[in-house]
Amino acid sequence: MKSTFKLFILLSLLIFQKNQSQTLDTLVNVGNHKLHFNIIKGKGTPILFESSGGADCKIWDSILEPLSKITGSTLITYDRAGHGKSTIDTSETDINKHGIINLVEDLETGLKKLGYNKEIILVAHSYGGYLATLYATRHPKLVKSVVLIDVNHNYMDKYGEEDVKSLEQYLPEMKEKFIGLYYQVSNERETTKIMSALSIPLNIPVVDFVAGIPLVKETEKIEHWNECHKKFILSHPKSIGITAYECGHSIWNQNPSLVINTIAKSFAETQSDKQKSIIYERALTYAINSSNNVKKENKASLENTLNDLGYELIYKNENEKALETFKLNTVLFPLSSNAFGSYAEMLAKLNKKEESIKMYQKSIQLDSENEDSKEALANLLSGK
């Protein structure tokens, strides 16, 4: 019995050591300064996270563990120059030499030294969307997909000057305490000029999240922010737009399941069919467990988001994906009459009449006052 216990302890320690070795926290020399990378090692296409302006890589901590468990992929977070643990080239005093081009060149150098300068998936928040877009335009054959989380798009074309002027009074303090942010703000005009001429290549699939609770507050600015996202979706044939209802700017903090499963899906699309099925099964399990632990109002938010995503896929003529999305909604929300009604509608659209009838009947069983399902079922039975 004692030898068995010792063997158990030994195996536990070995497993612990193995898991410990899977995380790399390191500083990489990229010239006259160093970039801090935090990497959870795995297999398949690596996923790189771009943080928002002024933020470091810690903002992603809450979703890395579940993402690692679902995908098994390598997850890469890092601090841009002058942020977090990354240093900055203090010998270079020219503000223009600390611009967005220099930032992406730093990243390229760091990834190359670490051996991750091959195929990659990008996840970006807010200002980080600029870096993801720039990297994608420079490496269109290597970037397999992009997940954008409430990014700027071309919003700053109209309001950038106003933003810079409102921040200029804080530049001396930034230079003393937040040197990375100082250079970001100082270069904002040039950054806006550069980025206004660029867009993610049309061959790269993109998911574009927009927050249901806008970062900006003035009506005119809210409308412009949303319009920038709509224009992007319309201009990019491989893009899907998702509104994260009841979520603020950092969407993954308010609705982690939505963001985690979206990133997992983007990763799954780069894998073999067998591995893809495994990832989808893990993602479904996570979604079910996650939805079981959130408040009722947040469940409703996830249900509506999935429902909207289904109709967005129909608009994109991706009917089979839409069907799976609506079906997932019925699994996650088995008491939702609306979820079964949407699923039934999609089944009918794909000429699966018998299955559609059963789902409409289930929808009505859950809510006898669901007039839409009643009317649709009557039309289906009458052959209309």
Side-chain angles (χ1 to χ4, degrees), residues 91-130:
S91 66
E92 182 56 76
T93 57
D94 185 350
I95 289 176
N96 296 324
K97 296 296 178 62
H98 294 277
I100 195 165
I101 301 297
N102 304 90
L103 294 179
V104 81
E105 288 176 346
D106 283 351
L107 175 62
E108 290 168 340
T109 301
L111 290 177
K112 184 176 182 179
K113 287 193 172 185
L114 290 165
Y116 294 113
N117 58 325
K118 302 177 181 67
E119 293 186 346
I120 201 163
I121 293 169
L122 305 178
V123 178
H125 176 231
S126 195
Y127 175 86
Y130 282 158

Side-chain angles (χ1 to χ4, degrees), residues 312-354:
E312 182 71 34
L313 288 167
I314 292 175
Y315 175 76
K316 295 279 188 179
N317 202 32
E318 298 182 31
N319 292 332
E320 289 297 332
K321 290 183 180 180
L323 181 67
E324 289 304 311
T325 301
F326 289 130
K327 183 178 180 180
L328 173 61
N329 228 6
T330 66
V331 174
L332 295 178
F333 305 98
L335 300 180
S336 170
S337 173
N338 185 61
F340 279 94
S342 295
Y343 183 36
E345 181 184 346
M346 193 66 232
L347 286 166
K349 183 178 178 66
L350 295 177
N351 297 316
K352 299 183 179 184
K353 183 176 178 180
E354 291 185 6

Side-chain angles (χ1 to χ4, degrees), residues 213-313:
I213 304 173
L215 174 66
V216 292
K217 301 306 176 186
E218 297 91 333
T219 301
E220 182 183 346
K221 291 182 178 180
I222 293 172
E223 290 176 351
H224 184 61
W225 183 274
N226 291 333
E227 187 61 28
C228 287
H229 284 266
K230 289 177 182 177
K231 285 182 177 179
F232 173 79
I233 295 299
L234 290 173
S235 67
H236 197 295
K238 288 192 174 183
S239 66
I240 294 175
I242 301 176
T243 299
Y245 300 108
E246 299 181 18
C247 291
H249 193 44
S250 300
I251 296 169
W252 69 95
N253 285 324
Q254 286 87 45
N255 196 338
S257 180
L258 176 63
V259 175
I260 287 169
N261 280 318
T262 299
I263 297 171
K265 180 179 180 298
S266 295
F267 172 78
E269 293 300 318
T270 68
Q271 304 300 293
S272 66
D273 289 342
K274 180 181 179 181
Q275 189 63 20
K276 189 184 300 183
S277 297
I278 293 172
I279 294 167
Y280 280 153
E281 185 176 343
R282 291 176 188 161
L284 178 57
T285 300
Y286 171 77
I288 292 172
N289 291 335
S290 177
S291 67
N292 194 41
N293 293 327
V294 297
K295 295 179 180 180
K296 184 177 180 181
E297 57 266 27
N298 287 337
K299 286 185 179 182
S301 174
L302 177 57
E303 180 190 342
N304 291 336
T305 299
L306 286 173
N307 200 60
D308 288 347
L309 174 58
Y311 284 107
E312 182 71 34
L313 288 167

